Amino acid sequence: MESIQHLEITDAFMNYLFPFSFREKEREKIMEQLKKHNFKLFDLDNYELQDLYYGKGIQINHQELDQFFLPFIEDKLFPQSVNERGFLRYSKEIKESFALKGNNNEFKFTVNSLDIILCPFGIGIITIRTEMIKELESLTNVLDFMSHFRVLEPKLEEERGTKIYLHNKTFTTTSELIFDYLCPFLKSFIVKNKKMAGYYGSLPFFEDERMLSQAFLIAAGDQLITNDQLFRMGQLDGRDPEGNEFISSTNPEYINRYVEERIHDRWAPNTYTITSLHTQTTISVKSKESLKKEIAQFMSIHYYNLLLHFYYKIMLLRLSFEHSEVSWEKDKQYVEELIELISKFDSHYYFEEISVRSEGKELTNMLREAFYLKPLFVEVKRTVDDLYRAQEKQADKRQNMLLFILTVYTVVSGIYGMNLVIEDWKEDFNWSSVFTYTFFEWITLVTALSGIALSTTLLVSTSGKGIRDKYRKWKREHFK
């Protein structure tokens, strides 16, 4: 399209976040496999890790990362030991070059490293860190690569036909690259929903089968960054199926409104960050040498900020989905577990304030807006209220029924002066004498036997429920 202005990119650092679900009881087994496959536990006190995973010449600052988040968030993001229920990050250096080839384009890139993060409540996140290889690429080619690489299982016609090459290996989808090459051992631990296909069946409440992307782009020279280009970055508009440069809007006013709502322009006109449902992308026209600190922050504090809010979104969607799947008659225990899960997530992990820095607050607000966290959280809180009310109604019904039964037995017993004994029962009892009972003696017999049966049933039921609750609580100890 003639209206699309060209922009040359000299450097592109791109991270892709892929969520999955695993069983908490297998957490230790996963950690054993991670160690076996040379993944290292990320530790802020290990300063040897500062320049290991992020690309040549890039070194993050562990102390800055430690100071950016509020203390109660820091404890969760950087736990002191694997026994703490926080975000356990395992990282591995990859440093291998690949090529993504489509019908109209070829893009060469390096996978610098891989993170596998075990989050609370059985949610995991895989992060793939990639870097552009060529010295110069068009913004169109970079965005086209990002939009195709983040697609795990192509469904649409325009997404098909793209392959990833590594020496003599060919991967037809990004999910093949991840689960057949980068971390094949993880495949057996991923929980799949029987009703859903693909690995996103592991999270049936999540959106389409696309990873969340994060990018830091450096433009060549003194080029002008326009709203059209920022819009394309937010939408990941690369090329259309015919190979032409593509922008998904023809309305300048719409484009300007879109950018205005999502742009962080504190460092304009040199640097901009745009945050959308698909990506958080920073673009700068400054030289790579002068951007060392900004790139390091992109790989550290901004990465963890995005990771945390992405996790919030996944958990809130999960809680809403599980509420919709509740069968009130069959899942009474499940309802209790869901209430407990929501309460623990809300009190232990979900916080609106995560940083004291002004820029951190600004980017946090943008992420919360982009991921619709506030309406999702309001819905989940309403879910808790609904669950509590429904449980109270069910408890009231059970209590009223029990009181009704006890009232009937009290009335019947009162008629007999609280003495439900027949003369035949004082000696050895002969069941054949039952047939000679009068009408009122039959009432006494039925009341006594049913009372004993009811008492026994209540005792067994209450004891069984107590045992089941203790067993379930033991199984759920990983949520603490």
Side-chain angles (χ1 to χ4, degrees):
M1 297 175 64
E2 293 182 0
S3 61
I4 297 179
Q5 298 187 32
H6 203 61
L7 188 67
E8 295 290 347
I9 303 298
T10 61
D11 297 272
F13 303 94
M14 298 152 288
N15 300 334
Y16 298 89
L17 282 70
F18 164 49
F20 64 93
S21 179
F22 66 92
R23 294 181 181 86
E24 275 287 350
K25 65 182 181 181
E26 296 183 328
R27 177 182 285 262
E28 292 187 4
K29 292 182 180 179
I30 298 176
M31 291 191 290
E32 290 174 4
Q33 287 296 314
L34 289 168
K35 294 175 184 176
K36 181 179 178 182
H37 289 85
N38 302 315
F39 281 81
K40 293 182 180 179
L41 180 66
F42 183 78
D43 183 1
L44 284 180
D45 294 330
N46 186 352
Y47 294 106
E48 294 179 358
L49 304 179
Q50 290 186 139
D51 60 355
L52 192 58
Y53 305 118
Y54 312 102
K56 186 177 180 181
I58 299 175
Q59 181 174 359
I60 71 169
N61 188 326
H62 280 195
Q63 289 184 334
E64 182 181 27
L65 188 56
D66 183 36
Q67 294 297 317
F68 182 81
F69 296 96
L70 292 168
F72 50 83
I73 294 292
E74 179 190 329
D75 291 343
K76 307 294 189 303
L77 288 177
F78 313 110
Q80 296 292 321
S81 94
V82 296
N83 297 320
E84 297 180 22
R85 294 305 178 194
F87 292 72
L88 296 177
R89 169 184 161 187
Y90 288 83
S91 300
K92 181 180 180 179
E93 196 176 17
I94 305 294
K95 301 271 189 205
E96 289 189 286
S97 298
F98 298 81
L100 183 143
K101 297 181 181 179
N103 299 325
N104 305 296
N105 193 21
E106 176 182 352
F107 190 92
K108 295 182 179 180
F109 64 99
T110 298
V111 175
N112 284 321
S113 62
L114 195 71
D115 287 350
I116 296 178
I117 303 165
L118 304 181
C119 309
F121 308 117
I123 297 293
I125 296 176
I126 300 171
T127 300
I128 308 168
R129 290 191 185 84
T130 67
E131 182 179 352
M132 183 180 87
I133 290 179
K134 287 180 67 176
E135 292 184 1
L136 203 65
E137 275 281 12
S138 67
L139 175 65
T140 296
N141 287 345
V142 173
L143 295 177
D144 194 59
F145 165 72
M146 292 175 66
S147 68
H148 280 91
F149 187 79
R150 66 189 288 261
V151 178
L152 290 159
E153 301 277 352
K155 303 293 184 186
L156 304 178
E157 187 64 34
E158 59 265 25
E159 297 172 346
R160 295 173 181 167
T162 301
K163 296 181 180 179
I164 300 171
Y165 296 90
L166 169 68
H167 307 310
N168 59 343
K169 297 180 183 295
T170 302
F171 308 97
T172 57
T173 65
T174 305
S175 65
E176 281 188 17
L177 172 65
I178 296 172
F179 294 110
D180 293 345
Y181 185 72
L182 294 177
C183 50
F185 63 90
L186 195 61
K187 189 187 297 185
S188 61
F189 292 104
I190 293 180
V191 179
K192 299 185 181 69
N193 188 299
K194 295 180 181 179
K195 300 178 183 178
M196 307 287 287
Y199 291 103
Y200 263 74
S202 171
L203 298 173
F205 46 83
F206 206 70
E207 288 104 42
D208 50 14
E209 298 185 5
R210 290 172 172 83
M211 294 183 282
L212 176 69
S213 62
Q214 181 193 25
F216 194 102
L217 311 179
I218 303 176
D222 296 325
Q223 300 177 93
L224 180 65
I225 299 174
T226 65
N227 276 2
D228 284 7
Q229 293 159 349
L230 292 168
F231 176 85
R232 293 181 69 203
M233 289 180 225
Q235 288 287 299
L236 297 178
D237 292 337
R239 297 184 182 276
D240 62 20
E242 286 73 39
N244 302 313
E245 290 185 310
F246 173 65
I247 183 168
S248 56
S249 176
T250 57
N251 184 353
E253 293 181 2
Y254 175 84
I255 291 172
N256 291 337
R257 286 198 308 271
Y258 179 94
V259 171
E260 185 178 349
E261 292 171 0
R262 294 165 177 81
I263 198 70
H264 182 259
D265 55 1
R266 181 171 185 163
W267 309 111
N270 296 321
T271 304
Y272 299 88
T273 297
I274 188 160
T275 304
S276 71
L277 198 60
H278 318 295
T279 185
Q280 185 175 69
T281 297
T282 299
I283 178 79
S284 181
V285 294
K286 296 170 67 176
S287 68
K288 184 179 179 181
E289 284 298 313
S290 64
L291 288 169
K292 284 186 177 181
K293 181 179 179 180
E294 287 81 358
I295 297 172
Q297 290 177 338
F298 162 79
M299 293 290 185
S300 56
I301 58 178
H302 298 318
Y303 165 63
Y304 269 96
N305 195 10
L306 179 67
L307 171 73
L308 182 63
H309 287 86
F310 190 44
Y311 171 73
Y312 285 168
K313 177 182 178 180
I314 295 167
M315 278 299 300
L316 291 172
L317 287 171
R318 170 185 170 180
L319 295 172
S320 296
F321 172 80
E322 292 191 2
H323 174 232
S324 69
E325 293 290 296
V326 167
S327 173
W328 293 100
E329 295 300 322
K330 299 178 181 178
D331 299 335
K332 294 175 183 176
Q333 293 294 330
Y334 180 73
V335 170
E336 293 180 3
E337 291 179 13
L338 184 55
I339 291 174
E340 183 179 353
L341 176 59
I342 293 172
S343 300
K344 287 184 176 179
F345 169 70
D346 181 18
S347 60
H348 293 176
Y349 298 98
Y350 186 80
F351 303 102
E352 293 192 9
E353 294 290 334
I354 68 167
S355 175
V356 295
R357 297 188 185 181
S358 57
E359 185 177 4
K361 290 177 180 288
E362 293 163 1
L363 291 172
T364 291
N365 290 334
M366 293 179 66
L367 287 168
R368 295 182 67 83
E369 289 287 336
F371 291 160
Y372 306 109
L373 294 187
K374 186 175 181 178
L376 283 172
F377 182 70
V378 169
E379 181 180 342
V380 168
K381 293 295 285 184
R382 187 168 60 246
T383 293
V384 175
D385 294 338
D386 291 344
L387 290 174
Y388 272 123
R389 280 197 297 269
Q391 274 208 327
E392 286 176 356
K393 288 180 180 178
Q394 288 186 338
D396 289 343
K397 286 181 179 179
R398 288 194 296 267
Q399 188 175 15
N400 290 338
M401 181 58 67
L402 181 60
L403 287 174
F404 171 75
I405 294 172
L406 291 175
T407 300
V408 170
Y409 277 91
T410 301
V411 170
V412 174
S413 300
I415 293 172
Y416 286 85
M418 302 302 293
N419 184 16
L420 292 176
V421 178
I422 299 174
E423 291 298 322
D424 291 346
W425 298 355
K426 295 181 180 179
E427 300 176 358
D428 293 339
F429 180 66
N430 185 0
W431 280 101
S432 62
S433 62
V434 170
F435 299 102
T436 64
Y437 280 4
T438 66
F439 174 73
F440 292 104
E441 286 177 327
W442 268 103
I443 293 177
T444 301
L445 176 64
V446 171
T447 304
L449 293 179
S450 61
I452 294 171
L454 179 63
S455 300
T456 304
T457 301
L458 288 173
L459 178 62
V460 172
S461 175
T462 303
S463 301
K465 184 178 182 299
I467 294 171
R468 285 197 306 273
D469 289 346
K470 286 185 178 180
Y471 175 67
R472 287 173 181 268
K473 186 177 180 180
W474 175 76
K475 286 180 66 177
R476 301 196 306 270
E477 284 184 349
H478 50 263
F479 288 144
K480 293 182 179 178

